[in-house]
Amino acid sequence: MPTLSLNSRTGFLSRRQPLHWFLPVLLVLLFASILLWLPWQAQQMEANERQEQLIADTLWVEQTIRFQIGRNEENIRLIGTEISAGYLNGKRLRDRMTSLIRNNRELNRIALFDDADRLIESTDDSPLALKDLPGNSLAAAETARGTRTPQYSQPAPPPGLAGPLLMDYHLPLFAGERYIGSLIASYSVASILDEMVPWWFAQDNEIQLTDSDDVMVAKRAAGGPGRGVYTHLRALDLPGARLTLRTNSVKNAPKLLPNLLVGSVIALSIGLLWSLWALWRDINRRLAAEGALRQQVSFRSAMENSLVTGMRARDLEGRVTYVNPAFCRMVGMPAEDLLGKMPPMPYWAPEAMEEYQERFSQVLAGTVTDQGYETIFQRANGERFPVLIFESPLVDNSGKQTGWMGSILDISDRKRIEDLNRQQQEKLQASARLATMGEIASTLAHEINQPLAAISSYTTGALNLINNAATPGDVNIEMLKPALEKASAQAQRAGHIIRSVHAFVKKREPAREKVSIQALIDNVLPLVELQAQQFFVSIQTSVSSRLPPVLADRVLLEQVLLNLTRNAIEAMQHVAPERRSLRIVAEREEESPSQANVVISVIDRGHGIPAEVAERLFSPFFSTKAEGMGIGLNICRTAIEFHGGTMTHADNPAGGTIFRFSLPAAEAVSATAMSK
């Protein structure tokens, strides 16, 4: 058997010896590296933790300051609102302002100035004038008045003093469109830090407020100056003023562990145990999370199956990615027939394809609003039904939009109820017209009797002329002709009255058409005159030239005019005869020339409307007449709102009442319809 020589064996061992040492040395080096790396890493982690804690605390302090300032703004705006409404003045105003100063010590002063910049009220007794404020405060006051929004000024010392620095909050006050003054609240910048920064934060950090030029305007350093190791800043962006909150910790950087070996061994041992515990905890948490996820999925599925609102999701290209069972029941199609579909959709009605395509283009362009819109859908059996659709962006967890979510409501029942309400309203309006004609029936009979009596007289006279003539050629044509012309005129007058009454009480479907305001007033004027003659009321009409027509139902507007004029005439029964004057005025609304609204006013000089009656004037079934039903004015307002207008009333400065109703011009209504 061959044997190895000593030299050869020694050479073999010498070649293997480096391999035996390599692994232990590598492990020792690795362990030493870990021992050196762990303390450094611990130091870095502690430094990062301190920096993160400083950032979190600074953010909390910044939010605390903004919350307190926001609460002060709300209280000041509330005082300004009550001042504008005239509810707060004098001693009550001063008490409110003093209470606000007392409860919020960061506020230095609150002052009220009128529209001429005169001091009205102040929480201190110094003779403050608006012109004496610093230039940046005056600029903030002008900006607040011009934009009608509150503004802050950059911090500056009081007039004639070196300190403390004050920051003024200017709140402009308006009564309607009229500027009535300003409410100015002055903050002490140093007090903002003293009152709003917690003591524990001030003990560990140096806090500064700097302006937009990084110039310090206030500082609080209860725990000493900052070391510059851990710093952070947050911007306090106030309207008109830019302040920055700077924090500088008084702590130094953390030190390395004193005993690296012991500390590392203990840390490694604890880390191993903690790793095992963390692994066990994470496994339990994962199992709990999976169970909660299954429960949430089951709950969500049950909730989606019980919804009566249809839900439909589409991606950014318009492809259907999700439909709930309610939507499938609504259109009568299974989900597999809808998922993945691109327009045109199977539930689109053929006659509304252009509308669908236009809406779909708006959705893809991102111009759709959050307001719902109505359209029609088609079921699988071809049945059409109205729906109300709300579209909103579909956003994932990262805030990225992935599509569009639509909520679809079947409004068939609502439409049926609206139609029923409309029919009932039409019946009520017809009943009101009949009741109105019943009230003027006696006057109508008297008025028609007059032309009939005149016709009888003129025709009798004409017959007498003919009978008295010896021969037909002896008939005096010149005397006969005027009598027949007058009889014809009286017959036309009676016919006009009959036609007006017939058109007024005729039951028909509402129909909108272009109605001339002059023609509207001329048509209803004969019926108004019938009522006015009973009480010796004079009627005056004033219609502006070039008044645009309105798109309306003529009979409904005639009913409104007749009800308002009848109420006005009855309100003047017991006033002096010289005051019994009724005016009907039609003009363009001055406050909204772009909308081209037409305003019709019925003005009387009667007894007026008491305040307690005015509050319930338009309430249904409320009437001041013993025989009244209390539906006349309610019907009038409903009819005007049906046309997109408004009805109001006001006291007549000359005595009596003014009823006004506005109607949009036909061109404005057409433009609005086209935009929709």
Side-chain angles (χ1 to χ4, degrees), residues 159 181 189 327 347 423 453 497 530 562 576 629:
V189 182
F327 184 81
Y347 48 82
Q423 294 173 5
I497 295 174
L530 291 179
L562 192 59
M629 294 187 296

Side-chain angles (χ1 to χ4, degrees), residues 429-442 504-505 527 531 558-559 561-566 629 632 635:
Q429 291 168 355
S431 300
R433 290 197 295 271
L434 291 175
T436 301
M437 292 311 303
E439 294 177 4
I440 63 173
S442 60
F504 184 75
V505 300
L527 299 178
Q531 303 173 83
E558 289 178 358
Q559 181 179 353
L561 272 177
L562 192 59
N563 282 342
L564 295 179
T565 54
R566 183 187 64 212
M629 294 187 296
I635 290 177

